[in-house]
Every structure is written in C-alpha cells, then in structure tokens.
Amino acid sequence: MSDTLQAVREQASDLARGVRSRAWLPDAAVVAAFLLIYLVSGAGWGGPGSILYSLLQIVPLFWRRRHPMRVAVVAAVGCLLQLVLSDGPMPTNIAVLVVVYSAAAFGSRRTARTVLAMALAGAVLGALRWSFYFGLGSYLSIVAVQSLFMACFVGVAWALGDVMRRRREVVLRLQEQNRALARDQAQRSRLAAQDERASIAREMHDVVAHSLAVVVVQADGGLYAARQALAKEPGMAADRAALERAAGTLETLAETARTSLADTRRLVGVLRDTGSGAEYAPLEGVGHLDDLVERVRGSGVDVEAHVRGEVADLPRDVDLAAYRVVQEALTNAMKHAGPGASVDVDLLRTPEVLLVRVTDDGDGAAQDEHDGEGNGLIGMRERVEVLGGSVSAGPRTRRGWEVVATLPVARTAASDAGAASDAGAASVGASASPADPGQPLDASGDREPAARHTSGGTR
C-alpha cells in the first residue's frame, strides 16, 4: 500500500513539474474552460455582438500572466460592449474576476490598483445598467446592493491575487537568501581549505627544512671524519676516533631521516585520505625543546637554552608557535651562522606574553648571499601574527643574527580573550624588551632591533 502511495506521489510530482515547465498550459486550460461554459450556457447563440464581447473577455486570458494590463484593457472593452448590447449579466463575466486576480498576482502594484479601480467602476456601471426601475428610491437601493455584491467579488479576487504576489516575492527572497548562504558557505569552505593548506605547508616546511639542515650538517661532519681516517698512510692503524665520529654522525643521520620521514608520512596521509576525517595535529611544543636543542647540538652547533617562567600550561597554539619559532631560528643558524658560531635560546613567560628570543654570534649573516626566496620567516610570521603577536628578525648590532617573537598569553582561563590579547600587545614593550632592568636575555648586552621586520625571505 505504501509503495502504491509513493508511486502516486511521484507521478503527481512529475505532472506538477511538467505543468510548471509549461507556463502557457494552465492559461490555455482556463480559456478552454470559459469557452466551454460559454457554449454550454447557451449564451453563444445570442448573435454576433454577444459572440464578440464574450470572446473579448475570454480569449485574452491566455496572456494574463505576461501582459496583465493589456488583457485588462481588452476585457474592459468587451464589458463596455456588453453594457451597450446586453441588458443583463452573462456567465462569461466571471472572467473579469480572473483578470483582476491576474493583475494583482502578476502585474506591478500600479497595474493592480488600476485594474482594481476599473473593475469597481465596471461593477457600479453594471448595477446601473442592469437594475430595474421601480421608482428612484428603490432603484438606488437595488443599485447599491448589486454594486456592493459585485464589488465584494472583485475585492476578494484582488486580495487573493495580492496574497499570491506577496507569497511569490517571499519565496523569491528566500531562494535568493539560500543562494547567498550557499555562496557564503562555499566561500567559507574555500577559505578554510586555504587556511588548512597553508597550515600544513608551514608544518611541512618546518619538518623538512629543519631535518634536512641537520642531515646536511651531519653529512659534512661525517664526510670530514671519514676522509681523515682514509688519509692515513697505508699500513698505519686507522684513526679510531675519526671512525667513531663518522659512525655517530651516520647514526644521527639515520635517526633524523626516520623522524622526518614519519612526520612527512603523517602529513601526506592527511592530505591523501580526504574521506577519513582525520586531522593533522602537530605533537611538538615547548616541552620538546630539550630534544630539539640536543639534535642541533649533536650537529656540532653550540646551543644554550633557558626557559624562565611556567610554560606547562601554555595554550596549544602558543606552545606550537613558540616551538616552531625556535626550530626555524636554529635551522637558519645551522645553515647561515657559519663555523664556530654559538646560539642562545631564551624563553620568558610573563602573565601576559611569552617572549621567544634566539640569537647567534656567527659571521654568516654578513657574509652569505641569500636569494630571498625562503619561506621560513614568512611561515614564522604567519604563525605568530595569527595569534596576535609579532616577530622581528635581523642582524645584531655587533655580529650575528637575532629573532625575537612575542606571543600573547591569557592571564587566566576565565579572562576575556579579547582583553587578554589587547593587554598582551600593550605589555610587549614593557615585559618583552631585552633592555628590561631585570635579568638580561642576552649576555652580550645587545638590544632588540628597533622595528626591524624582514620580509621573511632572507634567512
């Protein structure tokens, strides 16, 4: 039974869609119905005049949706001819109500009001023409009753048409709003996808760039140690210390490559399996800073790290951004600081901001020629600025390179996020300056570069 009802509903829906796709079909059905009424009622045998004004009232209904005003004018001409040639109403006069309805439903407001006035005037003229005269008083009473009777029908037809017009306008507005919402949703989805791609690109850069920098440095060291061992004269004992350095370098290379490969596989897996719903969540943070420093230290770079303040309760985004800033700065130091350089990493947590400062005393910043096409500092600045912080990077006053990042931190879990961000931004100059009278961040006494922001492509 339910299958039969479902089939009937589907057929009815298909029929309704077919009728809506052919707008002329309902109008043709209305004209045919009125012509049938005209013939069945016997009014069609009233003579040429009767046929003429009846057709003038009925046939134009075929164009009632597209040209409601013109149809009303033609129907009004037919009604005037009827007033002249006939002494009574006819069944075809019901077509006037359809004309009034169509003008209100499909015409402009001006057209609807004009046709309503024409129809009300026609009702009064019809009452005057078709009322019997039994004295002036009774005649006026009959005219008033007939006029009111016909005006009520005209008013109802006009009101129904106006309601349909308003309903259609509401439906059109809702459809336009739905289209606008769909466009907005699509745009939001595109922006979210772009943000996600940018985030994954930054993660990929940080993972690959840092690991490859360690690999390059270790490979150079292993190659140097192996060549020292091979440089011994034939027959002499091998340089065991050099061979041990080479073996240790190879172990570091293998471990770094495995870690980088695992991180890269996780990133690529998220990009490839779009239907799994998996999301990439980086695992690193300030808590892994010691491991990062040890890896860089194992590459032959002298690194010292100092963390002051409580960093265990940092927000996840701030924690990851601080780690990535240190990682990128150490990667740049390994690549560009030059031989014999030492690096200082200093993290200071205050109630309002987290200050990250990485400095080196190498000569590479003044000697290297860079192509300006790197993405490290660009990604670093994007990470920090999206959290409301700031980054400055550039050469130090004496020698070396310096990267300083300030990240706003909420004071308490119950504090307002916007107020905390504004307070953190306002307190950067007071609590994050390396020249604070408190404990200095850099033993060399160098001051933070004033408003020195790079484009992100120099190191």
Side-chain angles (χ1 to χ4, degrees):
M1 184 66 177
S2 59
D3 295 339
T4 304
L5 290 176
Q6 184 66 23
V8 171
R9 289 173 183 171
E10 291 179 355
Q11 291 177 358
S13 299
D14 294 340
L15 180 61
R17 282 194 295 269
V19 171
R20 283 195 297 268
S21 64
R22 299 174 177 84
W24 57 269
L25 193 57
D27 298 333
V30 170
V31 173
F34 275 106
L35 289 175
L36 181 62
I37 293 173
Y38 174 66
L39 294 175
V40 171
S41 64
W45 310 106
S50 175
I51 296 175
L52 176 61
Y53 61 70
S54 296
L55 292 179
L56 287 176
Q57 295 174 20
I58 295 174
V59 175
L61 295 178
F62 186 79
W63 297 277
R64 65 188 183 93
R65 298 173 185 266
R66 289 163 289 181
H67 308 289
M69 189 63 197
R70 296 179 184 178
V71 169
V73 171
V74 175
V77 172
C79 291
L80 291 176
L81 287 176
Q82 181 182 355
L83 291 176
V84 174
L85 300 177
S86 175
D87 57 355
M90 296 180 61
T92 56
N93 293 140
I94 303 176
V96 175
L97 302 180
V98 179
V99 171
V100 174
Y101 168 86
S102 303
F106 306 110
S108 63
R109 293 182 180 273
R110 181 177 180 182
T111 297
R113 292 168 182 170
T114 303
V115 174
L116 175 62
M118 291 168 57
L120 293 176
V124 174
L125 291 176
L128 291 172
R129 175 70 174 83
W130 298 326
S131 296
F132 295 101
Y133 186 81
F134 298 107
L136 182 59
S138 60
Y139 176 73
L140 292 178
S141 299
I142 295 172
V143 168
V145 171
Q146 288 190 351
S147 298
L148 181 61
F149 181 75
M150 289 187 286
C152 287
F153 281 99
V154 170
V156 170
W158 187 88
L160 288 176
D162 189 65
V163 168
M164 291 301 297
R165 178 183 59 80
R166 292 176 184 273
R167 178 181 178 278
R168 189 171 59 254
E169 289 176 352
V170 170
V171 171
L172 291 176
R173 284 198 298 269
L174 290 176
Q175 290 175 347
E176 180 59 31
Q177 289 176 1
N178 287 337
R179 287 191 289 268
L181 289 174
R183 290 194 298 269
D184 183 67
Q185 182 64 30
Q187 184 177 10
R188 288 177 182 271
S189 299
R190 287 194 298 271
L191 292 176
Q194 290 175 2
D195 291 342
E196 186 66 19
R197 285 196 295 268
S199 176
I200 293 177
R202 287 194 296 267
E203 293 296 330
M204 182 73 77
H205 172 272
D206 292 338
V207 168
V208 175
H210 175 74
S211 300
L212 288 181
V214 174
V215 167
V216 169
V217 172
Q218 292 288 336
D220 288 341
L223 178 62
Y224 176 76
R227 291 195 180 279
Q228 275 190 331
L230 293 174
K232 293 290 184 180
E233 294 293 335
M236 295 181 64
D239 190 341
R240 185 172 183 80
L243 291 177
E244 287 180 352
R245 286 198 302 272
T249 299
L250 292 176
E251 289 179 358
T252 304
L253 281 173
E255 181 61 29
T256 303
R258 277 194 295 267
T259 303
S260 177
L261 183 60
D263 291 340
T264 304
R265 281 175 175 169
R266 284 196 297 132
L267 280 171
V268 174
V270 172
L271 293 174
R272 179 177 296 169
D273 191 4
T274 57
S276 66
E279 295 183 359
Y280 177 74
L283 302 177
E284 295 85 355
V286 175
H288 298 80
L289 190 60
D290 291 339
D291 296 336
L292 176 64
V293 170
E294 286 300 325
R295 286 201 302 270
V296 177
R297 203 175 275 154
S299 302
V301 180
D302 184 15
V303 182
E304 292 293 333
H306 306 278
V307 179
R308 288 177 286 168
E310 182 58 46
V311 296
D313 60 342
L314 287 173
R316 185 73 187 99
D317 292 342
V318 175
D319 193 25
L320 176 62
Y323 179 87
R324 292 305 190 196
V325 167
V326 175
Q327 184 184 51
E328 179 62 28
L330 291 177
T331 301
N332 289 338
M334 284 192 295
K335 293 192 292 185
H336 305 297
S342 61
V343 184
D344 257 347
V345 178
D346 206 335
L347 271 71
L348 174 62
R349 164 73 185 273
T350 72
E352 296 173 340
V353 297
L354 174 66
L355 176 65
V356 180
R357 186 178 184 186
V358 182
T359 58
D360 67 71
D361 57 1
D363 296 327
Q367 296 175 356
D368 290 350
E369 293 293 334
H370 305 296
D371 57 10
E373 296 181 357
N375 294 310
L377 292 180
I378 294 177
M380 183 192 302
R381 183 164 290 110
E382 289 175 350
R383 285 182 183 277
V384 174
E385 289 181 353
V386 78
L387 300 176
S390 62
V391 176
S392 65
R396 299 168 67 189
T397 304
R398 298 176 183 175
R399 57 184 294 185
W401 191 267
E402 179 179 60
V403 175
V404 178
T406 56
L407 296 162
V409 179
R411 296 176 182 174
T412 62
S415 64
D416 180 70
S421 177
D422 294 339
S427 64
V428 168
S431 62
S433 173
D436 196 303
Q439 184 177 358
L441 291 176
D442 187 7
S444 66
D446 292 334
R447 303 176 68 87
E448 179 179 345
R452 184 161 48 211
H453 293 271
T454 67
S455 63
T458 56
R459 281 191 77 169

